[in-house]
């Protein structure tokens, strides 16, 4: 089900890759439609819907009032009637105004109905900091969503995965939360990670939800991460390769389901684990990874694990503070060095 | 108005109300049957919170008389009257309330979480949060070019929740085929409407959204029927949403076990029961006779007892299946 | 009305508007100064989203003229005009926008998170979510038997958020001393009010809560002043909350970097600038002369540049302090 | 700062203990007041405010509309002006309609203000299942709150701690989320845990937030838990003591801050860890505990850890299913036996 690498590719940024995937599904299935704030003429604040209004018209690309409970709830109702909405929550930070629809309804209706009602929808939302947007506009919060059962949580790190996971999410009969990082959209108005543009397979490109990728194999230490941090980890790993440190980088791609096997397989080989997570450190992703290892076999760890995450502080505005909180390459490097005893 | 109403419609409204009441009385009986002498909410054949709708039959009967099972209804934590009036399979619904495998949700949902795709019925235990999905169902109906409508129900207490406001605005803006019902039974648990709502009338709030709003007084089933008829018609014809508030009656406690110590009006309550009132009117006007009343009750009782028997005969879910149905 | 208004009040309104505009122009300059040639939102001395209030000066000036720093103001993601008009220390505010240690929040908050206990000023980047805390401030003022009032500000787009509804109901129910302001600048980012709001007038929504609502047209500062005067007076005297919607103008983009490609009315915008308009009226009526205008601008410029210089001279926070202030 | 055991005590149920603590603080400090749904004449759906209206009148005990964003937000605003509200969210399950006020405002204002504004308030809320209240009324969700920085999270298990932690919470200058389990309130209409009534010290009784208790010391296995599950763990431990298994039971009492030292000290001695958590298993408390051990020293674990939590399924309604999901004594016992190799 995952990407066939033989397919021809074209180079797109992540935003464009998402849009293309959405457009292809809209072509394929008239039940697919998009709604959210500024998804129409504006094309999505983070360019996740650019051009869709022109292509599909206002009946299938709906700008909404600033009523997240109202319109996400409407998407849920529409999904229970067989439509396949893609609804955007502009920043994940706004989940607090509409979480009841998300976790008590979107995520539970299928279960409460004993499987009789399906809720096939995608809730897409922008995550991440690094550009001084402050404590209410810079969070990742994937741990918050992953803790609550009934929704898949997908977190791509690059254009090809964004496209392939978006396609998978739209075709999934379950609610899927699709969290894209602003820093890899390739936005013209934000510093771009160089990997925010990359090859995207043409044709029917689907990335299976639940399978991690290993963009860099290695033998000395396992770096488990996701989203923008994948690129920081890869940059650091490349740099340290010159010093004879061979770091493996695992890109989780989704955390519900999470590819526990891939993590355990890698750590069993390397014995060293660094978790890099742009979400808050405690009670989140890094803990869950640690627990799955500790449940499996704590002796695969040759040293205490390292967590490079946001240290339980709201994201500060001022750049020096924000970058002290974020999982920067410098912090990742320090953790790898510590793991490898250098 | 009642004079001009067809006798059959009036008889149907009465029968519907009798059926609902008979159901609620049976659930009441079963719910308490094995919680004696000491009430324990978690014990017995029907455990958990139980919000019964006795007294509010006129709302469900009057509204659902205009619907088919192609239309959608989203109800509240107090959902039975609407489920019954909308035609949800009584046996599957009852089995769900008993937590059995033949229940609507195979025992996963329970009394506040009844989902019936066959009749597009659903409900939610979270205040006012059934409103937004109803708008979405209406959106789906509209996009598909059908004349189906969605009905969304909430209480007067819930009308002060943000979801109420957001959904009314959205539905009006998009001219969605929804009928919003507010059941004003004067109470949100122990809080009277005067302590929760800054205005006397939620129907008047419809003006904030540019939609028609009416308030039906006195729990009058025929007035509900008339108002709902107009609103459903408007929605079917592309005229957009409406709001109907009905001044109804919470005949019993908020939930079972509620001693209602806070309720000053308690003494007058039984006298306001809408069913004897309506029965007297119909008898007086010759629309029904004593035999019809007896037949109505007998039929209701048979149907309800069959549903209860069905539920009791259904198996309890196997604990080994606890992880089923989280994902499709 | 303007004829009867004291000349000094009118001059003060003008000066206030000039000060705000001068400030926003200076922030605009500094914000873009080091984001050239390629705009990068995260770069430069002032990074992050920047929502400037140019064009909306009449609202803040007209409302805050009735307040003292004992009163509270909660503003939005577009907070500068209200902060300035309410008397927040300009230097500490500017230092915060520059992310410096002498800022209101020692660099933790930023432009959308300005908190000033000295003037009871705060704001929030989450739509409409400044409304509920304002009601709480008003509750505190009332419980203590003071005549202080709380002003809560939001945009017309935000008026469709649930928090708007909940807070208006609560404030009306509890007769809290709040004045709710809706700044209708016709847009919520790229969405025109016709695509977000089912009615033409948010002031009319006040009726849903039994509170007075007025709409001020034409961004008219003196009409705002008059309406706010009444509403503040009512709140101080125990008459409860009011809602004032002002039809104002978003002179610039939603945030800096917004090319406004979606905005059909763009051409006409500069001509609607409220400051030259008001200046012309006051000049014509002899309330001010050219010298006064020049003095107003010069004073504003000095104050603003001093604030910017102060901010730039303030130190950046030490990364080692990143964990400070999570808990008291 | 913690309970002096020499103090005279009286026997109260947990609900009454909470009410007494609230009342004492209301007497002491006129800034303390209570608001929420049905906190007045009804006395709180789970009896957390019984009698307060009669004692303090409607100016200090305020019934609210069903507008959680509105009235929790109002509590926040009042707290920033120096009042000390105790605001009740009737069921924690309803957090989704008001989470923005809680986590973006209550929890962040102090930080965003650089410490200049304090938000001294208590958000108290009922948690827990076990009586067939279904997927929207039976959750614990403490992991959700603990993941988001800026609020303390207190979870008492017995009357004395409920009183002492409530007093501490009210006096704390930070926002404190106080999560009480319905099953230990001692409600007349719910099956009572026998320990829902217990001795409560009279006088000024404060339990420091952040310190775990060890209601049962032991040497073979460490059971870390909280809230109602403490009692199940103690019951099982007592039973197994007869079989020669000596289980230590740690009652966390608060999870922000969490007493990591107590956990590590114990596991270092026993080498075996069972975490019992009535919240969802993944991305929550059990993960965080595992991570803190793995960060400290994974070799203190002599065996893979055991998690007895809700297995990432919405709480089912039907009793056999609900009890298959809850951390029952039977599941706890099985985990301890597995840890101890029996
Ligand atoms: C968001 C939310 N808040 C609170 C509750 C608890 N609750 C359940 S029913 C109820 C009262 C509802 O009153 P109303 O809307 O008038 O409906 P009624 O019970 O009278 O039918 C409350 C407060 C809830 N279920 N959801
Ligand atoms: C709950 C929430 N939803 C969405 C946003 C993103 N957002 C920020 S400003 C804005 C538009 C606000 O429009 P309006 O209320 O009219 O204020 P204006 O910007 O015009 O001053 C939006 C959608 C937000 N900050 N919070
Ligand atoms: Mg009611
Ligand atoms: Mg606007």
């Amino acid at each position: 089900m995952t990407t066939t690498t033989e397919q021809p590719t074209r180079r797109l940024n992540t935003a464009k890759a998402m849009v293309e995937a959405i457009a292809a599904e809209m072509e394929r299935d008239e039940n697919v439609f998009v709604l959210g704030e500024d998804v129409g003429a504006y094309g999505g604040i983070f360019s996740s819907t650019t051009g869709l209004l022109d292509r599909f018209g206002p009946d299938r690309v709906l700008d909404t009032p600033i009523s997240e409970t109202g319109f996400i709830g409407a998407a849920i109702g529409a999904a229970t009637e067989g439509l396949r909405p893609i609804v955007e929550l502009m920043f994940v930070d706004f989940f607090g105004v509409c979480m009841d629809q998300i976790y008590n309804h979107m995520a539970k209706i299928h279960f409460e109905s004993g499987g009789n009602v399906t809720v096939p929808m995608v809730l897409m939302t922008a995550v991440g900091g690094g550009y001084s947007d402050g404590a209410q506009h810079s969070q990742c919060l994937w741990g918050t969503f992953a803790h609550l059962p009934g929704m898949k949580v997908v977190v791509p790190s690059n254009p090809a995965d964004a496209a392939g996971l978006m396609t998978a999410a739209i075709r999934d009969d379950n609610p899927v939360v699709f969290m894209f990082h602003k820093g890899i959209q390739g936005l013209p108005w934000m510093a771009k990670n160089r990997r925010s543009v990359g090859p995207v397979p043409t044709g029917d490109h689907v990335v299976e939800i639940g399978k991690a990728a290993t963009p860099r194999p290695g033998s000395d230490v396992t770096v488990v991460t996701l989203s923008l941090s994948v690129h920081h980890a890869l940059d650091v790993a490349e740099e340290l390769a010159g010093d004879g440190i061979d770091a493996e980088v695992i890109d989780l791609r989704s955390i519900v389901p999470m590819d526990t096997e891939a993590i355990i397989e890698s750590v069993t080989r390397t014995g060293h684990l660094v978790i890099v997570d742009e979400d808050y450190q405690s009670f989140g992703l890094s803990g869950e990874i640690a627990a799955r290892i500790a449940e499996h076999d704590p002796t695969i760890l040759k040293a205490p694990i390292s967590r490079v995450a946001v240290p339980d502080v709201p994201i500060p505005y001022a750049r020096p503070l924000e970058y002290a909180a974020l999982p920067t390459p410098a912090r990742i490097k320090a953790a790898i060095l510590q793991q490898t005893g250098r | 108005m009642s004079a001009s109403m067809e006798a059959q419609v009036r008889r149907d409204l009465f029968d519907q109300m009798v059926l609902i009441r008979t159901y609620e009385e049976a659930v009441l009986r079963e719910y308490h049957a094995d919680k004696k002498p000491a009430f324990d909410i978690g014990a017995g054949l029907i455990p958990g919170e139980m919000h019964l709708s006795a007294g509010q039959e006129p709302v469900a009967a009057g509204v659902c008389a205009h619907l088919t099972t192609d239309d959608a209804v989203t109800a509240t934590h107090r959902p039975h009257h609407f489920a019954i009036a909308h035609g949800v399979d009584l046996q599957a619904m009852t089995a769900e309330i008993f937590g059995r495998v033949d229940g609507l949700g195979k025992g996963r949902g329970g009394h506040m979480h009844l989902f019936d795709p066959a009749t597009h019925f659903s409900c939610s235990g979270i205040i006012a949060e059934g409103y937004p999905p109803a708008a979405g169902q209406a959106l789906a109906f509209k996009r598909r070019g059908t004349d189906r409508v969605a009905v969304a129900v909430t209480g007067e207490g819930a009308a002060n929740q943000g979801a109420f406001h957001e959904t009314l605005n959205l539905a009006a803006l998009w001219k969605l085929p929804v009928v919003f019902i507010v059941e004003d039974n004067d109470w949100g648990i122990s809080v009277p409407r005067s302590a929760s709502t800054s205005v006397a009338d939620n129907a008047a709030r419809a003006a904030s959204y540019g939609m028609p709003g009416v308030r039906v007084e006195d729990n009058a089933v025929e007035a509900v029927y008339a108002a709902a008829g107009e609103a459903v018609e408007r929605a079917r014809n592309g005229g957009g949403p409406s709001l109907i508030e009905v001044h109804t009656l919470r005949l019993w406690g908020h939930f079972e076990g509620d001693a209602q110590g806070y309720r000053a009006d308690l003494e007058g309550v039984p006298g306001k029961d809408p069913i004897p009132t309506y029965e007297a009117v119909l008898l007086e006007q010759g629309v029904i006779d004593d035999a019809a009343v007896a037949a109505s009750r007998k039929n209701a009782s048979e149907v309800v007892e069959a549903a209860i028997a069905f539920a009791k005969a259904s198996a309890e879910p196997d604990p080994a299946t606890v992880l089923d149905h989280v994902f499709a």
Side-chain angles (χ1 to χ4, degrees), chain B residues 28-314:
Chain B
L28 182 76
R29 178 193 75 214
E30 295 295 325
Y31 183 79
H32 289 285
D34 44 10
K35 291 191 182 64
K36 301 201 160 119
F39 180 86
D40 172 2
I41 189 173
L45 281 178
I46 308 179
E49 279 180 67
M50 180 53 64
H51 313 82
L52 297 174
S53 63
Q56 303 186 189
E57 296 88 350
V59 193
V63 170
C64 295
H66 301 283
L67 307 179
T68 79
T69 53
D70 281 344
D71 299 312
V73 172
T74 67
T76 69
H77 58 286
R78 195 183 303 290
H80 300 173
H81 53 328
F82 270 92
I84 293 169
H86 191 48
V88 171
D89 183 279
L90 214 59
Q91 304 204 333
M93 166 177 159
T94 310
E96 187 59 28
I97 295 172
F98 277 76
R100 302 304 171 95
V101 291
D102 297 305
L104 289 172
K106 302 181 185 133
R108 272 76 183 164
H111 129 88
M112 285 189 276
H113 310 290
L114 304 169
F115 292 88
D116 181 25
T119 63
H120 306 271
F121 181 87
S122 63
C123 53
S124 170
I126 309 295
I127 282 306
E129 296 281 330
Y131 263 37
Q137 292 176 299
L139 178 67
F141 296 162
K142 186 177 174 175
R143 289 178 70 81
R144 297 211 162 121
T146 71
D147 70 348
R148 295 158 61 189
V149 309
V151 170
V153 189
T154 204
E156 94 294 339
N160 298 308
Q161 181 73 219
F164 175 86
H165 175 68
E166 295 191 8
T167 310
L168 264 62
N169 180 63
L170 194 72
L173 185 72
W174 291 353
K175 270 195 172 289
L176 299 175
V178 198
V179 179
F180 295 105
I181 306 292
V182 177
E183 295 188 282
D184 175 12
N185 61 8
D186 290 325
W187 295 92
I189 311 185
S190 71
V191 179
R193 71 176 283 129
S194 61
S196 73
T197 309
S198 59
V199 287
D201 186 345
N202 274 304
R205 287 179 166 177
S208 275
Y209 312 99
M211 74 171 74
V214 302
R215 181 167 163 102
V216 175
E217 295 295 348
D218 294 326
N219 216 6
V221 64
E222 296 188 1
V224 174
Y225 178 84
E230 264 185 54
V232 169
E233 190 68 10
R234 184 180 303 122
R236 288 207 200 288
N237 294 336
S242 317
L243 176 70
I244 300 173
E245 181 167 68
V246 182
H247 194 187
T248 185
L249 177 76
R250 204 182 79 199
L251 194 59
W252 300 341
H254 169 71
F255 38 30
E256 288 312 304
D258 175 6
Q260 304 197 75
Y262 53 81
R263 194 163 170 185
D265 69 337
L266 209 51
E267 231 174 273
V269 164
K272 295 193 195 148
D273 187 334
I275 296 186
T277 312
Y278 194 49
E279 183 181 313
V281 170
L282 295 190
L283 281 172
E284 199 201 297
Q285 299 185 2
V287 180
I288 52 174
D289 57 16
D290 287 342
V293 172
S296 181
R297 289 198 204 292
K298 178 156 179 290
N299 175 58
S301 175
E302 280 167 15
V303 171
V304 167
E305 295 307 330
I308 299 227
F310 174 85
K312 287 183 174 173
S314 176

Side-chain angles (χ1 to χ4, degrees), chain A residues 91-171:
Chain A
F91 288 70
V92 73
D93 312 68
F94 309 156
F95 85 92
V97 302
C98 52
M99 194 58 169
D100 187 73
Q101 284 298 328
I102 296 171
Y103 103 105
N104 263 338
H105 294 83
M106 183 184 87
K108 287 180 184 160
I109 286 174
H110 181 72
F111 179 81
E112 290 168 331
S113 76
N116 290 322
V117 178
T118 54
V119 189
M121 60 184 282
V122 180
L123 174 69
M124 68 178 176
T125 187
V127 304
Y131 61 102
S132 290
D133 220 2
Q136 295 177 335
H137 288 76
S138 304
Q139 300 164 99
C140 285
L141 298 178
W142 40 61
T144 297
F145 287 79
H147 182 52
L148 302 166
M151 48 192 158
K152 298 188 177 178
V153 180
V154 161
V155 193
S157 73
N158 61 57
D161 285 355
L165 287 166
M166 177 58 83
T167 305
I170 296 170
R171 294 183 189 175

Side-chain angles (χ1 to χ4, degrees), chain A residues 60 64 112 153 282 334 342:
Chain A
R60 293 184 70 194
T64 62
E112 290 168 331
V153 180
S282 293
R342 311 281 185 106

